[in-house]
Amino acid sequence: MTISAAPPVQLLDSRLEVTGGSRLSGHLRVNGAKNSALVLMAACLLSRDTLRLRNVPPLTDITAMGEILAALGVRVTRHGETIDLDGEHISRAAPPYELVNSLRASFFCIGPLLARMGTAQVPLPGGCQIGSRPVVEHVKGLKALGAQVTIEHGVVTASVQGRNRRLKGGHIHLDCPSVGATETLMMAAALADGETVIDNAALEPEVIDLADLLNAMGAKVRGAGTPSITIVGVDALHEADYAVIPDRIEAGTFLLAAAITRSELSIGPVLPEHLGAVITKLEEAGCRLVADGSNLVISAKAITAVDLRTMPFPGFPTDLQAPFMSLLATAKGTSVVVENIFENRLQHVAELQRMGASIRLQGNTACIEGVARLSGAPVHGTDLRASAAMVLAGLCADGVTTVRGLEFLDRGYANLEDKLNAVGARIRRLSDAA
Ligand code: EPZ
């Protein structure tokens, strides 16, 4: 009996086909913030009680984080955009390698695991398309709290010696205002013995969201949103029922969809104070934005060139640099964009050039000379925000743009094409055997 070899695994060639030229109108709903929900989920490891998180976005990254927490012993129950995380029985302090590899944000587990168990073993997140993504500040901070930390064979092992294996409060000065390091160290310090001060802390809204959650769980965190955060350790944290803040990056992406198609759209919910730099730049480019309750109404007729430089919050966010560049590709005049946060986050320039954009690249600086119209072409998104940028470019291009790299897109945007089609876009998701 001959056993035929299993057919080669067919990679699905999934892609979005975007037909440009539609005007958009209506309301785009903004989901909960991915970059907050992921770290808030990890915080469940700090308590034996159940943490209920609401307004959690339905994203592949969220599913992956749920699987990692379940592998550690957390009981994860999801009802739509609400997730219950019961951390009573943590069975291990090392998330499985194969799961961690799929999700950089799993590194958020190291702080709470170490605080709760006195030990943690988490694979190095490693680099990605946009940069090397080091965790030097995270490791330095954990050592300052009394942990012994080694990195061998790509795995970070942290442990606390001594009778009760409890971290000790300490003074940490971050070399750079790393979002992930600030969040990791806040969680580790929440159960430490004594007071911790984190100087040069990140100011991002997601850091404040984590502090608000930790305080709702009984922690004592002060100063989140300022460069100096003080955490007085407590013996235990309790249950909480907490709603994630709206996603400022998804909101910014939707504002840009309106601007790029010269449409009027309502976007929300939005916390305007989370988008100050973006709102300022959109107004500078010729957009009109008006607050309407928890929504922002944006209208745009003509777009003029503006200069951008990405900075830590409250500066212009690196996550909206690529989507904004899609707008500048057809703005009137010449724009200069400088990417200061990540060392390799300009790969979308080549894709925009394929669509007829006139861009000159010099190191981390792109000089964009606006053209009258982009032309649809097959393009590829190399990270989740670049993928979104290509969809936006397709909305205003002449003809059809085929966007690949949906494995990135679906990590950061829930049902993007459904949402945009509901306000008048023409996008089809196709996936067939390659
Ligand atoms: C968070 O990444 C976000 N991810 C990123 O969003 C976002 O772009 C970034 O913050 C900056 O705002 C999540 O929150 C899950 P960082 P994170 O540590 O924490 C350097 C998206 O598209 N650095 O603040 O990894 C680092 O190399 C993603 O949603 C060090 O030099 O960002 C980078 O250049 C992409 N040493 C800069 O700081 C360190 O020890 C910002 O990194 C740590 C970081």
Side-chain angles (χ1 to χ4, degrees):
M1 177 180 77
T2 55
I3 298 171
S4 60
V9 173
Q10 292 273 15
L11 290 179
L12 279 183
D13 174 26
S14 56
R15 60 201 183 280
L16 290 182
E17 259 190 13
V18 186
T19 303
S22 302
R23 275 275 187 291
L24 308 182
S25 69
H27 176 75
L28 279 173
R29 175 177 172 251
V30 178
N31 280 100
K34 164 184 89 85
N35 288 351
S36 186
L38 289 169
V39 64
L40 299 189
M41 286 174 75
C44 80
L45 294 165
L46 290 167
S47 167
R48 305 181 61 83
D49 293 345
T50 295
L51 169 59
R52 167 160 288 188
L53 290 178
R54 300 173 188 277
N55 198 32
V56 177
L59 298 167
T60 53
D61 271 10
I62 298 295
T63 306
M65 180 60 102
E67 286 164 1
I68 288 166
L69 293 171
L72 292 170
V74 175
R75 268 203 299 280
V76 181
T77 320
R78 199 163 175 179
H79 331 266
E81 295 182 8
T82 296
I83 291 187
D84 286 342
L85 300 156
D86 175 358
E88 184 180 6
H89 302 295
I90 303 298
S91 52
R92 52 191 291 189
Y97 197 95
E98 65 283 355
L99 284 181
V100 165
N101 247 4
S102 68
L103 180 66
R104 288 184 40 77
S106 51
F107 200 69
F108 281 131
C109 295
I110 194 165
L113 277 176
L114 185 62
R116 171 83 179 271
M117 314 279 280
T119 181
Q121 193 169 60
V122 183
L124 267 179
C128 69
Q129 287 282 353
I130 63 177
S132 59
R133 312 300 295 274
V135 288
V136 170
E137 298 303 313
H138 311 55
V139 170
K140 266 172 43 183
L142 292 175
K143 287 180 176 172
L145 298 180
Q148 290 188 341
V149 185
T150 57
I151 301 178
E152 285 168 348
H153 312 302
V155 176
V156 181
T157 302
S159 62
V160 193
Q161 308 305 319
R163 192 168 44 81
N164 58 2
R165 306 188 71 178
R166 189 178 182 187
L167 291 168
K168 287 201 178 7
H171 185 229
I172 300 163
H173 190 104
L174 299 176
D175 280 1
C176 65
S178 158
V179 175
T182 302
E183 292 166 338
T184 294
L185 297 170
M186 281 165 66
M187 290 189 285
L191 294 178
D193 178 12
E195 178 176 282
T196 295
V197 175
I198 304 172
D199 279 332
N200 197 20
L203 310 179
E204 271 69 5
E206 294 74 28
V207 170
I208 299 172
D209 211 23
L210 175 61
D212 290 347
L213 168 66
L214 292 174
N215 287 336
M217 294 169 76
K220 293 179 180 158
V221 182
R222 299 289 172 271
T226 77
S228 181
I229 300 176
T230 301
I231 305 106
V232 177
V234 295
D235 293 338
L237 295 183
H238 51 67
E239 90 295 335
D241 183 336
Y242 190 82
V244 178
I245 53 172
D247 193 317
R248 62 193 170 101
I249 304 302
E250 185 186 37
T253 307
F254 290 164
L255 290 170
L256 284 160
I260 213 161
T261 55
R262 312 300 190 262
S263 307
E264 175 169 310
L265 275 181
S266 162
I267 314 284
V270 170
L271 295 172
E273 64 272 23
H274 289 178
L275 278 167
V278 179
I279 291 169
T280 300
K281 279 298 168 186
L282 284 168
E283 289 174 334
E284 205 181 303
C287 298
R288 189 168 166 275
L289 290 99
V290 177
D292 170 22
S294 61
N295 300 326
L296 270 183
V297 178
I298 177 170
S299 54
K301 291 204 173 19
I303 298 293
T304 51
V306 296
D307 293 342
L308 280 190
R309 48 187 335 115
T310 63
M311 298 299 281
F313 194 88
F316 190 91
T318 173
D319 294 348
L320 284 173
Q321 178 260 109
F324 209 107
M325 193 183 288
S326 292
L327 174 67
L328 297 176
T330 59
K332 189 169 171 27
T334 301
S335 307
V336 177
V337 172
V338 185
E339 171 55 53
N340 291 312
I341 303 296
F342 287 107
E343 63 265 35
N344 190 28
R345 204 172 199 177
L346 288 164
Q347 297 175 76
H348 48 282
V349 168
E351 302 305 307
L352 287 170
Q353 286 168 333
R354 195 196 303 262
M355 297 179 70
S358 170
I359 306 175
R360 274 181 299 113
L361 207 43
Q362 184 90 30
N364 67 343
T365 301
C367 191
I368 303 109
E369 196 178 332
V371 296
R373 191 105 196 257
L374 295 176
S375 60
V379 291
H380 193 100
T382 49
D383 78 275
L384 71 97
R385 309 304 175 183
S387 298
M390 301 327 297
V391 174
L392 294 184
L395 291 177
C396 73
D398 180 26
V400 175
T401 299
T402 306
V403 182
R404 288 180 171 80
L406 303 193
E407 67 278 16
F408 297 117
L409 189 74
D410 295 340
R411 293 183 48 205
Y413 296 91
N415 315 314
L416 182 64
E417 70 270 18
D418 298 338
K419 289 187 176 181
L420 291 174
N421 286 338
V423 293
R426 287 175 285 163
I427 306 175
R428 293 195 310 156
R429 180 177 288 242
L430 305 170
S431 57
D432 45 38

